[in-house]
Amino acid sequence: MSTRIQTEDFDLSTEVAALRAGNPKVGAIVSFVGTVRDLNDGAVVAEMELEHYPGMTEQSLAAIIAEAHKRWDFIDARVIHRVGPLKPMDQIVLVAVAAMHRREAFAACEFMMDYLKTAAPFWKKEQTPQGARWVDVRVSDDEAMARWQRDGGREKLE
């Protein structure tokens, strides 16, 4: 299990290959890559800057993976989150899960992304033609997290 916070970009195929490396038990890898959009809440986004709380953020990401591992049987997971200034179409985040079976990989990946969006200490500031603005957690992200808590958190996929 690994987490990284970095300014540089990442390569999806390299990260997936590392999850699979030498483990014949891996039957499924599910990954999610988040990217910067050029439009958010009706405004053009020229740049997004991500900030984090060093030390605390890494611990938060590790705790998210550990919680997912309590709920689903998977072999390995990787979370990479970028910080600093990013332009539209830049990659922001990777969540990847390797498991014996796809169901566990899908559920754990979705859980980790939902928790990352709401519980990890990152702050996003967008540069728009109207000026800079901080981005709040979306209601839909809070609702996704609430479903995990309400449903007992084991299975969201049906």
Side-chain angles (χ1 to χ4, degrees), residues 20-33:
R20 293 181 61 193
N23 193 335
K25 291 182 178 13
V26 173
I29 295 178
V30 172
S31 64
F32 172 86
V33 175

Side-chain angles (χ1 to χ4, degrees), residues 40-41 47-52 122-128 131-138:
N40 188 31
D41 290 334
E47 181 180 273
M48 177 184 286
E49 184 158 359
L50 285 102
E51 298 178 7
H52 76 296
F122 287 100
W123 297 273
K124 299 175 185 176
K125 183 170 39 173
E126 295 175 334
Q127 296 294 332
T128 71
R133 65 182 186 185
W134 291 100
V135 178
D136 291 326
V137 172
R138 295 177 179 277

Side-chain angles (χ1 to χ4, degrees), residues 1-27:
M1 315 292 166
S2 70
T3 64
R4 293 196 318 259
I5 297 174
Q6 59 193 46
T7 55
E8 64 274 1
D9 200 5
F10 55 85
D11 179 67
L12 176 61
S13 61
T14 299
E15 301 303 333
V16 167
L19 280 175
R20 293 181 61 193
N23 193 335
K25 291 182 178 13
V26 173

